[in-house]
PDB file of all heavy atoms in Angstrom:
ATOM      1  N   ASP A   1      20.565   1.815  20.850  1.00  0.00           N
ATOM      2  CA  ASP A   1      20.280   1.534  19.437  1.00  0.00           C
ATOM      3  C   ASP A   1      19.687   2.745  18.708  1.00  0.00           C
ATOM      4  O   ASP A   1      19.975   2.979  17.538  1.00  0.00           O
ATOM      5  CB  ASP A   1      19.315   0.352  19.334  1.00  0.00           C
ATOM      6  CG  ASP A   1      19.989  -0.970  19.659  1.00  0.00           C
ATOM      7  OD1 ASP A   1      21.237  -1.016  19.649  1.00  0.00           O
ATOM      8  OD2 ASP A   1      19.268  -1.952  19.932  1.00  0.00           O
ATOM      9  N   SER A   2      18.882   3.518  19.405  1.00  0.00           N
ATOM     10  CA  SER A   2      18.206   4.660  18.780  1.00  0.00           C
ATOM     11  C   SER A   2      19.178   5.777  18.393  1.00  0.00           C
ATOM     12  O   SER A   2      18.830   6.670  17.625  1.00  0.00           O
ATOM     13  CB  SER A   2      17.133   5.217  19.699  1.00  0.00           C
ATOM     14  OG  SER A   2      17.709   5.663  20.912  1.00  0.00           O
ATOM     15  N   LEU A   3      20.404   5.715  18.933  1.00  0.00           N
ATOM     16  CA  LEU A   3      21.368   6.783  18.681  1.00  0.00           C
ATOM     17  C   LEU A   3      22.480   6.402  17.719  1.00  0.00           C
ATOM     18  O   LEU A   3      23.203   7.274  17.244  1.00  0.00           O
ATOM     19  CB  LEU A   3      22.028   7.231  19.992  1.00  0.00           C
ATOM     20  CG  LEU A   3      21.144   7.688  21.121  1.00  0.00           C
ATOM     21  CD1 LEU A   3      21.984   8.261  22.243  1.00  0.00           C
ATOM     22  CD2 LEU A   3      20.124   8.709  20.644  1.00  0.00           C
ATOM     23  N   LYS A   4      22.621   5.122  17.467  1.00  0.00           N
ATOM     24  CA  LYS A   4      23.748   4.651  16.667  1.00  0.00           C
ATOM     25  C   LYS A   4      23.778   5.329  15.303  1.00  0.00           C
ATOM     26  O   LYS A   4      22.762   5.426  14.628  1.00  0.00           O
ATOM     27  CB  LYS A   4      23.684   3.140  16.501  1.00  0.00           C
ATOM     28  CG  LYS A   4      24.036   2.382  17.766  1.00  0.00           C
ATOM     29  CD  LYS A   4      23.968   0.877  17.556  1.00  0.00           C
ATOM     30  CE  LYS A   4      24.327   0.144  18.840  1.00  0.00           C
ATOM     31  NZ  LYS A   4      24.203  -1.337  18.684  1.00  0.00           N
ATOM     32  N   GLY A   5      24.960   5.826  14.966  1.00  0.00           N
ATOM     33  CA  GLY A   5      25.157   6.491  13.693  1.00  0.00           C
ATOM     34  C   GLY A   5      24.825   7.968  13.702  1.00  0.00           C
ATOM     35  O   GLY A   5      25.128   8.678  12.752  1.00  0.00           O
ATOM     36  N   ARG A   6      24.190   8.445  14.762  1.00  0.00           N
ATOM     37  CA  ARG A   6      23.811   9.857  14.836  1.00  0.00           C
ATOM     38  C   ARG A   6      24.600  10.606  15.894  1.00  0.00           C
ATOM     39  O   ARG A   6      24.860  11.798  15.750  1.00  0.00           O
ATOM     40  CB  ARG A   6      22.317   9.993  15.126  1.00  0.00           C
ATOM     41  CG  ARG A   6      21.418   9.364  14.085  1.00  0.00           C
ATOM     42  CD  ARG A   6      19.956   9.751  14.280  1.00  0.00           C
ATOM     43  NE  ARG A   6      19.423   9.299  15.561  1.00  0.00           N
ATOM     44  CZ  ARG A   6      18.910  10.114  16.489  1.00  0.00           C
ATOM     45  NH1 ARG A   6      18.884  11.411  16.278  1.00  0.00           N
ATOM     46  NH2 ARG A   6      18.409   9.612  17.599  1.00  0.00           N
ATOM     47  N   PHE A   7      24.939   9.960  16.972  1.00  0.00           N
ATOM     48  CA  PHE A   7      25.627  10.598  18.091  1.00  0.00           C
ATOM     49  C   PHE A   7      27.032  10.046  18.235  1.00  0.00           C
ATOM     50  O   PHE A   7      27.289   8.869  17.948  1.00  0.00           O
ATOM     51  CB  PHE A   7      24.880  10.355  19.404  1.00  0.00           C
ATOM     52  CG  PHE A   7      23.575  11.104  19.546  1.00  0.00           C
ATOM     53  CD1 PHE A   7      22.914  11.658  18.471  1.00  0.00           C
ATOM     54  CD2 PHE A   7      22.990  11.213  20.801  1.00  0.00           C
ATOM     55  CE1 PHE A   7      21.708  12.323  18.616  1.00  0.00           C
ATOM     56  CE2 PHE A   7      21.778  11.876  20.971  1.00  0.00           C
ATOM     57  CZ  PHE A   7      21.134  12.426  19.883  1.00  0.00           C
ATOM     58  N   THR A   8      27.941  10.892  18.698  1.00  0.00           N
ATOM     59  CA  THR A   8      29.316  10.485  18.991  1.00  0.00           C
ATOM     60  C   THR A   8      29.667  10.958  20.392  1.00  0.00           C
ATOM     61  O   THR A   8      29.427  12.122  20.733  1.00  0.00           O
ATOM     62  CB  THR A   8      30.302  11.095  17.988  1.00  0.00           C
ATOM     63  OG1 THR A   8      29.947  10.694  16.660  1.00  0.00           O
ATOM     64  CG2 THR A   8      31.723  10.639  18.288  1.00  0.00           C
ATOM     65  N   ILE A   9      30.229  10.066  21.173  1.00  0.00           N
ATOM     66  CA  ILE A   9      30.683  10.435  22.513  1.00  0.00           C
ATOM     67  C   ILE A   9      32.203  10.454  22.520  1.00  0.00           C
ATOM     68  O   ILE A   9      32.857   9.601  21.901  1.00  0.00           O
ATOM     69  CB  ILE A   9      30.130   9.466  23.575  1.00  0.00           C
ATOM     70  CG1 ILE A   9      30.473   9.943  24.989  1.00  0.00           C
ATOM     71  CG2 ILE A   9      30.596   8.034  23.331  1.00  0.00           C
ATOM     72  CD1 ILE A   9      29.770   9.125  26.092  1.00  0.00           C
ATOM     73  N   SER A  10      32.762  11.431  23.201  1.00  0.00           N
ATOM     74  CA  SER A  10      34.226  11.529  23.289  1.00  0.00           C
ATOM     75  C   SER A  10      34.595  12.167  24.627  1.00  0.00           C
ATOM     76  O   SER A  10      33.720  12.667  25.353  1.00  0.00           O
ATOM     77  CB  SER A  10      34.784  12.355  22.121  1.00  0.00           C
ATOM     78  OG  SER A  10      34.271  13.670  22.133  1.00  0.00           O
ATOM     79  N   ARG A  11      35.862  12.127  24.927  1.00  0.00           N
ATOM     80  CA  ARG A  11      36.339  12.698  26.190  1.00  0.00           C
ATOM     81  C   ARG A  11      37.722  13.309  26.001  1.00  0.00           C
ATOM     82  O   ARG A  11      38.505  12.863  25.154  1.00  0.00           O
ATOM     83  CB  ARG A  11      36.365  11.629  27.277  1.00  0.00           C
ATOM     84  CG  ARG A  11      37.347  10.506  27.031  1.00  0.00           C
ATOM     85  CD  ARG A  11      37.104   9.340  27.985  1.00  0.00           C
ATOM     86  NE  ARG A  11      37.293   9.732  29.384  1.00  0.00           N
ATOM     87  CZ  ARG A  11      36.811   9.045  30.422  1.00  0.00           C
ATOM     88  NH1 ARG A  11      36.110   7.931  30.210  1.00  0.00           N
ATOM     89  NH2 ARG A  11      37.038   9.456  31.652  1.00  0.00           N
ATOM     90  N   ASP A  12      37.996  14.316  26.809  1.00  0.00           N
ATOM     91  CA  ASP A  12      39.321  14.915  26.883  1.00  0.00           C
ATOM     92  C   ASP A  12      39.745  14.808  28.335  1.00  0.00           C
ATOM     93  O   ASP A  12      39.323  15.618  29.185  1.00  0.00           O
ATOM     94  CB  ASP A  12      39.274  16.374  26.409  1.00  0.00           C
ATOM     95  CG  ASP A  12      40.658  17.011  26.343  1.00  0.00           C
ATOM     96  OD1 ASP A  12      41.563  16.555  27.070  1.00  0.00           O
ATOM     97  OD2 ASP A  12      40.831  17.966  25.576  1.00  0.00           O
ATOM     98  N   ASN A  13      40.537  13.803  28.642  1.00  0.00           N
ATOM     99  CA  ASN A  13      40.919  13.567  30.029  1.00  0.00           C
ATOM    100  C   ASN A  13      41.759  14.715  30.590  1.00  0.00           C
ATOM    101  O   ASN A  13      41.684  15.003  31.787  1.00  0.00           O
ATOM    102  CB  ASN A  13      41.668  12.252  30.154  1.00  0.00           C
ATOM    103  CG  ASN A  13      40.768  11.038  29.984  1.00  0.00           C
ATOM    104  OD1 ASN A  13      39.547  11.115  30.213  1.00  0.00           O
ATOM    105  ND2 ASN A  13      41.341   9.928  29.563  1.00  0.00           N
ATOM    106  N   ALA A  14      42.534  15.375  29.755  1.00  0.00           N
ATOM    107  CA  ALA A  14      43.353  16.495  30.222  1.00  0.00           C
ATOM    108  C   ALA A  14      42.483  17.658  30.684  1.00  0.00           C
ATOM    109  O   ALA A  14      42.890  18.440  31.543  1.00  0.00           O
ATOM    110  CB  ALA A  14      44.294  16.944  29.128  1.00  0.00           C
ATOM    111  N   LYS A  15      41.294  17.774  30.100  1.00  0.00           N
ATOM    112  CA  LYS A  15      40.374  18.851  30.466  1.00  0.00           C
ATOM    113  C   LYS A  15      39.240  18.364  31.360  1.00  0.00           C
ATOM    114  O   LYS A  15      38.328  19.135  31.672  1.00  0.00           O
ATOM    115  CB  LYS A  15      39.793  19.490  29.200  1.00  0.00           C
ATOM    116  CG  LYS A  15      40.826  20.178  28.318  1.00  0.00           C
ATOM    117  CD  LYS A  15      40.164  20.815  27.105  1.00  0.00           C
ATOM    118  CE  LYS A  15      41.193  21.537  26.248  1.00  0.00           C
ATOM    119  NZ  LYS A  15      40.576  22.157  25.042  1.00  0.00           N
ATOM    120  N   SER A  16      39.259  17.075  31.719  1.00  0.00           N
ATOM    121  CA  SER A  16      38.189  16.493  32.541  1.00  0.00           C
ATOM    122  C   SER A  16      36.814  16.798  31.935  1.00  0.00           C
ATOM    123  O   SER A  16      35.878  17.172  32.661  1.00  0.00           O
ATOM    124  CB  SER A  16      38.263  17.013  33.979  1.00  0.00           C
ATOM    125  OG  SER A  16      39.466  16.603  34.591  1.00  0.00           O
ATOM    126  N   THR A  17      36.717  16.649  30.645  1.00  0.00           N
ATOM    127  CA  THR A  17      35.491  17.025  29.934  1.00  0.00           C
ATOM    128  C   THR A  17      35.008  15.888  29.050  1.00  0.00           C
ATOM    129  O   THR A  17      35.796  15.240  28.349  1.00  0.00           O
ATOM    130  CB  THR A  17      35.722  18.288  29.088  1.00  0.00           C
ATOM    131  OG1 THR A  17      36.144  19.357  29.950  1.00  0.00           O
ATOM    132  CG2 THR A  17      34.443  18.698  28.379  1.00  0.00           C
ATOM    133  N   LEU A  18      33.705  15.679  29.115  1.00  0.00           N
ATOM    134  CA  LEU A  18      33.008  14.681  28.311  1.00  0.00           C
ATOM    135  C   LEU A  18      32.179  15.424  27.273  1.00  0.00           C
ATOM    136  O   LEU A  18      31.609  16.482  27.574  1.00  0.00           O
ATOM    137  CB  LEU A  18      32.111  13.843  29.209  1.00  0.00           C
ATOM    138  CG  LEU A  18      31.330  12.703  28.587  1.00  0.00           C
ATOM    139  CD1 LEU A  18      32.273  11.564  28.206  1.00  0.00           C
ATOM    140  CD2 LEU A  18      30.265  12.200  29.562  1.00  0.00           C
ATOM    141  N   TYR A  19      32.104  14.855  26.073  1.00  0.00           N
ATOM    142  CA  TYR A  19      31.355  15.498  24.994  1.00  0.00           C
ATOM    143  C   TYR A  19      30.318  14.546  24.406  1.00  0.00           C
ATOM    144  O   TYR A  19      30.489  13.328  24.435  1.00  0.00           O
ATOM    145  CB  TYR A  19      32.302  15.928  23.869  1.00  0.00           C
ATOM    146  CG  TYR A  19      33.387  16.876  24.293  1.00  0.00           C
ATOM    147  CD1 TYR A  19      34.684  16.432  24.534  1.00  0.00           C
ATOM    148  CD2 TYR A  19      33.113  18.244  24.456  1.00  0.00           C
ATOM    149  CE1 TYR A  19      35.685  17.306  24.927  1.00  0.00           C
ATOM    150  CE2 TYR A  19      34.109  19.117  24.850  1.00  0.00           C
ATOM    151  CZ  TYR A  19      35.396  18.644  25.088  1.00  0.00           C
ATOM    152  OH  TYR A  19      36.382  19.518  25.469  1.00  0.00           O
ATOM    153  N   LEU A  20      29.282  15.125  23.835  1.00  0.00           N
ATOM    154  CA  LEU A  20      28.316  14.370  23.056  1.00  0.00           C
ATOM    155  C   LEU A  20      27.996  15.192  21.817  1.00  0.00           C
ATOM    156  O   LEU A  20      27.360  16.232  21.917  1.00  0.00           O
ATOM    157  CB  LEU A  20      27.038  14.081  23.843  1.00  0.00           C
ATOM    158  CG  LEU A  20      26.038  13.161  23.147  1.00  0.00           C
ATOM    159  CD1 LEU A  20      26.601  11.736  23.041  1.00  0.00           C
ATOM    160  CD2 LEU A  20      24.704  13.125  23.896  1.00  0.00           C
ATOM    161  N   GLN A  21      28.451  14.715  20.673  1.00  0.00           N
ATOM    162  CA  GLN A  21      28.137  15.352  19.409  1.00  0.00           C
ATOM    163  C   GLN A  21      26.881  14.698  18.850  1.00  0.00           C
ATOM    164  O   GLN A  21      26.866  13.490  18.614  1.00  0.00           O
ATOM    165  CB  GLN A  21      29.292  15.191  18.415  1.00  0.00           C
ATOM    166  CG  GLN A  21      29.012  15.755  17.042  1.00  0.00           C
ATOM    167  CD  GLN A  21      28.922  17.261  17.040  1.00  0.00           C
ATOM    168  OE1 GLN A  21      29.826  17.963  17.492  1.00  0.00           O
ATOM    169  NE2 GLN A  21      27.809  17.793  16.518  1.00  0.00           N
ATOM    170  N   MET A  22      25.851  15.503  18.687  1.00  0.00           N
ATOM    171  CA  MET A  22      24.563  14.988  18.244  1.00  0.00           C
ATOM    172  C   MET A  22      24.262  15.536  16.853  1.00  0.00           C
ATOM    173  O   MET A  22      24.351  16.751  16.631  1.00  0.00           O
ATOM    174  CB  MET A  22      23.468  15.410  19.213  1.00  0.00           C
ATOM    175  CG  MET A  22      23.767  15.028  20.664  1.00  0.00           C
ATOM    176  SD  MET A  22      22.388  15.385  21.766  1.00  0.00           S
ATOM    177  CE  MET A  22      22.350  17.160  21.653  1.00  0.00           C
ATOM    178  N   SER A  23      23.891  14.663  15.936  1.00  0.00           N
ATOM    179  CA  SER A  23      23.525  15.091  14.597  1.00  0.00           C
ATOM    180  C   SER A  23      22.256  14.375  14.175  1.00  0.00           C
ATOM    181  O   SER A  23      21.817  13.440  14.845  1.00  0.00           O
ATOM    182  CB  SER A  23      24.668  14.821  13.613  1.00  0.00           C
ATOM    183  OG  SER A  23      24.975  13.443  13.571  1.00  0.00           O
ATOM    184  N   SER A  24      21.680  14.835  13.066  1.00  0.00           N
ATOM    185  CA  SER A  24      20.422  14.269  12.573  1.00  0.00           C
ATOM    186  C   SER A  24      19.392  14.169  13.694  1.00  0.00           C
ATOM    187  O   SER A  24      18.727  13.151  13.874  1.00  0.00           O
ATOM    188  CB  SER A  24      20.659  12.895  11.949  1.00  0.00           C
ATOM    189  OG  SER A  24      21.583  12.960  10.895  1.00  0.00           O
ATOM    190  N   LEU A  25      19.280  15.236  14.455  1.00  0.00           N
ATOM    191  CA  LEU A  25      18.413  15.224  15.626  1.00  0.00           C
ATOM    192  C   LEU A  25      16.951  15.054  15.236  1.00  0.00           C
ATOM    193  O   LEU A  25      16.496  15.577  14.202  1.00  0.00           O
ATOM    194  CB  LEU A  25      18.617  16.495  16.446  1.00  0.00           C
ATOM    195  CG  LEU A  25      19.896  16.485  17.298  1.00  0.00           C
ATOM    196  CD1 LEU A  25      20.281  17.898  17.715  1.00  0.00           C
ATOM    197  CD2 LEU A  25      19.693  15.604  18.513  1.00  0.00           C
ATOM    198  N   LYS A  26      16.227  14.352  16.105  1.00  0.00           N
ATOM    199  CA  LYS A  26      14.810  14.061  15.901  1.00  0.00           C
ATOM    200  C   LYS A  26      14.019  14.633  17.074  1.00  0.00           C
ATOM    201  O   LYS A  26      14.558  14.784  18.175  1.00  0.00           O
ATOM    202  CB  LYS A  26      14.590  12.559  15.823  1.00  0.00           C
ATOM    203  CG  LYS A  26      15.417  11.858  14.754  1.00  0.00           C
ATOM    204  CD  LYS A  26      15.197  10.354  14.813  1.00  0.00           C
ATOM    205  CE  LYS A  26      16.021   9.626  13.755  1.00  0.00           C
ATOM    206  NZ  LYS A  26      15.817   8.154  13.816  1.00  0.00           N
TER     207      LYS A  26
END
């Protein structure tokens, strides 16, 4: 709940890579 609307998680299966885009950091 503390992250909703601020963070985005995504993945690129072809690159075997996980991402976390963080904004409005506290």
